[in-house]
Amino acid sequence: MKKIERAEGAMVGLAVGDALGANWEFWFPPEGLSDSQIEMLDGPYPAGAWTDDTSMALCLADSLISCSGYDSYDVMERYWRWVFEGYRAYDAKPAADVGGQTREAIEEYMLRPEVYGMDFRGERAGNGALMRLAPAVIVAKTVSEAMLLARISARETHFSEVVEASAEIFAAMLFRALSGLPKEEVVKIAELSTGQVFSEVLTEVIMSSSLEYREDLRFLGGYTVDALKIAVWGFMNFPDFETGVKEVIKLGGDTDTNAAIYGQLAGAYYGLSGIPLRWRERLLMNEEICGLADKLAEMPSCPIKRTRFEEDGFGKNVHIV
């Protein structure tokens, strides 16, 4: 399978998971969900529509392509336009579904774009940095580059050590899935650890990846480590994209984001053709999302042109191994 089909799978898988989970977010019938309920059906969202997860991924993809690299300021400007102008929203309306941590970061950016060394990382660790990550990994040429782009991308809205470590872990796994490695090798990334937090989060994720942890993963909210656990659990325990995404959504909780994160990983592994055609056909902007994936995969490089973080030298001293 060509890497470009895996890139398309990651982007479309993100959006499909988001769209399938959107109508069940934090609402769960007492008897649970059946397979027939997890389809592209009208509900709180129109069939095939997606939420903030996909909108932010499209903003990030647009920025990487337009700037021929990573530019914090351009990324944040696009996020702002999405929230307040409806840019990259499925209905072109100002965003109604924005995570609290994300909205605060975007509003803070408009008042003070730069983040200085005196600004301490917070304790809050939402899953919003993982749900949109695929574009930053698709453009990477090495796993080290993928992890660095993921870390800086995460910082934009979630300035937290746990979120940055989770983003590095997910980026490493996603890069390996895009490279066509076997499942066991996709998640075998301990040697890539960037420090104690990375190792602690990875240990927790791998420990929860077996099928027996199903009950422990039910009804979980927006914590980044929980979302990563669920995505890896779904990826490792089920034989195809469709079964995995349905089982992830059946867990309840933050269903759209959990499924979007799973969808990136499983979509990269199984490729675009591994995502059921009936879902791809109903997904809004399916062809455009595939087109963005193609452009990202074809980028010859992704230099980090500007970041707004002092610890990165505001983009002047960021090196990729």
Side-chain angles (χ1 to χ4, degrees), residues 45 49 74 87 117 126 139 141 158 217 243 249 288:
Y45 288 85
D74 188 79
Y87 170 69
V139 296
K141 304 307 175 187
H158 294 70
L217 298 174
T243 307
I249 293 170
E288 185 170 353

Side-chain angles (χ1 to χ4, degrees), residues 169 197-209 229:
I169 290 167
V197 179
F198 181 111
S199 298
E200 289 175 351
V201 172
L202 179 61
T203 298
E204 192 173 346
V205 168
I206 297 303
M207 183 184 71
S208 301
S209 64
K229 285 179 184 178

Side-chain angles (χ1 to χ4, degrees), residues 30 40 61 70 80 93 115 123 154 186 192 204 216 221 241 254 264 266 274 276 288 300 313:
M40 294 283 187
Y70 192 93
W80 184 92
K93 296 178 181 178
V115 180
E123 296 297 321
V186 166
L192 299 175
E204 192 173 346
D216 294 342
F241 184 99
D254 197 0
Q264 293 171 72
E288 185 170 353

Side-chain angles (χ1 to χ4, degrees), residues 106-125:
I106 293 169
E107 291 175 348
E108 176 68 21
Y109 168 78
M110 300 310 298
L111 297 173
R112 192 191 66 161
E114 283 74 29
V115 180
Y116 293 89
M118 67 188 73
D119 295 328
F120 295 103
R121 283 172 170 77
E123 296 297 321
R124 296 165 66 192

Side-chain angles (χ1 to χ4, degrees), residues 14 62 74 186 292 312:
L14 185 165
D62 286 346
D74 188 79
V186 166
L292 286 173
D312 298 328

Side-chain angles (χ1 to χ4, degrees), residues 105-240:
I106 293 169
E107 291 175 348
E108 176 68 21
Y109 168 78
M110 300 310 298
L111 297 173
R112 192 191 66 161
E114 283 74 29
V115 180
Y116 293 89
M118 67 188 73
D119 295 328
F120 295 103
R121 283 172 170 77
E123 296 297 321
R124 296 165 66 192
N127 56 20
L130 302 186
M131 68 188 192
R132 64 178 190 246
L133 191 60
V137 180
I138 292 170
V139 296
K141 304 307 175 187
T142 67
V143 69
S144 296
E145 182 180 0
M147 291 167 65
L148 177 57
L149 287 167
R151 183 168 70 247
I152 294 177
S153 170
R155 286 179 188 168
E156 304 291 10
T157 54
H158 294 70
F159 198 45
S160 153
E161 288 185 353
V162 172
V163 172
E164 289 178 27
S166 298
E168 289 175 329
I169 290 167
F170 188 51
M173 292 182 179
L174 186 52
F175 186 87
R176 290 192 169 200
L178 287 164
S179 301
L181 295 179
K183 282 188 178 183
E184 293 74 17
E185 294 298 315
V186 166
V187 301
K188 192 177 179 182
I189 60 168
E191 73 277 8
L192 299 175
S193 177
T194 56
Q196 182 178 348
V197 179
F198 181 111
S199 298
E200 289 175 351
V201 172
L202 179 61
T203 298
E204 192 173 346
V205 168
I206 297 303
M207 183 184 71
S208 301
S209 64
S210 64
L211 196 60
E212 66 189 46
Y213 280 87
R214 181 192 299 269
E215 290 305 313
D216 294 342
L217 298 174
R218 287 171 64 83
F219 308 118
L220 293 179
Y223 179 46
T224 187
V225 179
D226 289 343
L228 189 53
K229 285 179 184 178
I230 289 169
V232 174
W233 175 86
F235 176 65
M236 293 300 294
N237 287 291
F238 302 100
D240 53 56

Side-chain angles (χ1 to χ4, degrees), residues 13-28 33 37-55 90 97 245 248-250 252-261 283-284:
L14 185 165
V16 164
D18 184 9
L20 288 170
N23 289 330
W24 301 108
E25 184 182 17
F26 296 118
W27 183 83
F28 204 70
L33 290 171
Q37 290 175 293
I38 305 173
E39 289 292 341
M40 294 283 187
L41 305 171
D42 287 327
Y45 288 85
W50 20 261
T51 74
D52 55 330
D53 309 54
T54 303
S55 290
Y90 79 90
D97 182 19
V245 76
V248 163
I249 293 170
K250 285 178 185 178
D254 197 0
T255 50
D256 60 329
T257 296
N258 293 338
I261 297 169
L283 180 71
L284 299 186

